[in-house]
């Protein structure tokens, strides 16, 4: 199991269940693929099924499942890659996305459509993560 200090910084600020989900999947992926980017991607893909990134940490989702179109893919099409929502639960209701945008104090959120809310939340999350890391 990965020690807490070796977890990605966003997970260090997240609930224990999120840390365990990422660590167990990462350890299994390292056994299968070796240490590196593929193991990290696999661990984050698993994490995103049960958690969403809000600000600088991960929180449990209301419903488990893929977080965006890319996460819903499997097989060859998944391995080709594609745009992800960076941990934002893009499949959540517009109301849920609006509530997340409100918590993150995103200006203009009431006039945004779903895709705009997802993009704005992703940018706000990245900003909060940079701020927490001291970047």
């Amino acid at each position: 199991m990965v020690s807490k200090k070796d977890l990605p910084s966003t997970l260090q600020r997240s609930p224990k269940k999120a840390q365990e989900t990422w660590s167990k999947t990462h350890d299994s992926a390292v056994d299968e693929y070796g240490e590196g980017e593929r193991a990290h991607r696999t661990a984050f893909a698993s994490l995103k099924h049960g958690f969403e990134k809000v600000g600088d940490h991960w929180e449990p989702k209301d419903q488990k499942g893929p977080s965006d179109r890319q996460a819903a893919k499997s097989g060859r099409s998944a391995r080709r890659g594609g745009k992800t929502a960076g941990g934002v639960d893009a499949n959540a209701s517009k109301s849920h996305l609006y509530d997340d945008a409100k918590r993150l104090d995103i200006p203009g959120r009431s006039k945004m459509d779903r895709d705009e809310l997802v993009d704005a939340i992703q940018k706000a999350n990245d900003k909060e993560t940079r701020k927490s890391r001291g970047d």
Side-chain angles (χ1 to χ4, degrees):
M1 193 101 154
V2 178
S3 70
K4 186 168 181 172
K5 70 178 181 65
D6 293 330
L7 288 170
S9 64
T10 56
L11 281 161
Q12 292 176 11
R13 295 181 288 277
S14 300
K16 185 175 171 107
K17 176 67 174 153
Q19 295 173 2
E20 290 173 352
T21 298
W22 190 91
S23 291
K24 287 178 182 178
T25 305
H26 183 265
D27 290 348
S28 179
V30 167
D31 291 344
E32 182 74 20
Y33 311 121
E35 183 63 58
E37 182 185 349
R38 189 169 184 190
H40 274 69
R41 280 194 330 257
T42 301
F44 275 110
S46 174
L47 179 69
K48 290 176 186 180
H49 275 264
F51 296 84
E52 65 180 318
K53 191 172 179 208
V54 180
D56 65 349
H57 64 282
W58 295 84
E59 295 181 0
K61 290 180 4 181
D62 293 336
Q63 293 184 325
K64 290 186 177 187
S67 57
D68 54 40
R69 286 185 206 107
Q70 178 62 26
K73 294 178 182 177
S74 63
R76 182 176 287 179
S77 63
R79 287 189 297 273
R80 280 191 214 124
K83 185 176 186 268
T84 71
V88 176
D89 187 6
N91 291 331
S93 68
K94 184 176 179 184
S95 172
H96 178 86
L97 293 169
Y98 178 82
D99 289 344
D100 283 352
K102 188 174 181 179
R103 286 176 53 201
L104 293 166
D105 199 28
I106 295 171
R109 62 188 170 267
S110 62
K111 293 182 172 91
M112 294 181 184
D113 64 24
R114 287 178 56 81
D115 291 339
E116 291 169 328
L117 283 167
V118 169
D119 289 343
I121 293 168
Q122 187 175 4
K123 287 177 186 169
N125 287 348
D126 291 347
K127 181 179 178 183
E128 289 296 315
T129 298
R130 282 192 306 276
K131 190 164 77 173
S132 293
R133 288 181 184 155
D135 292 352

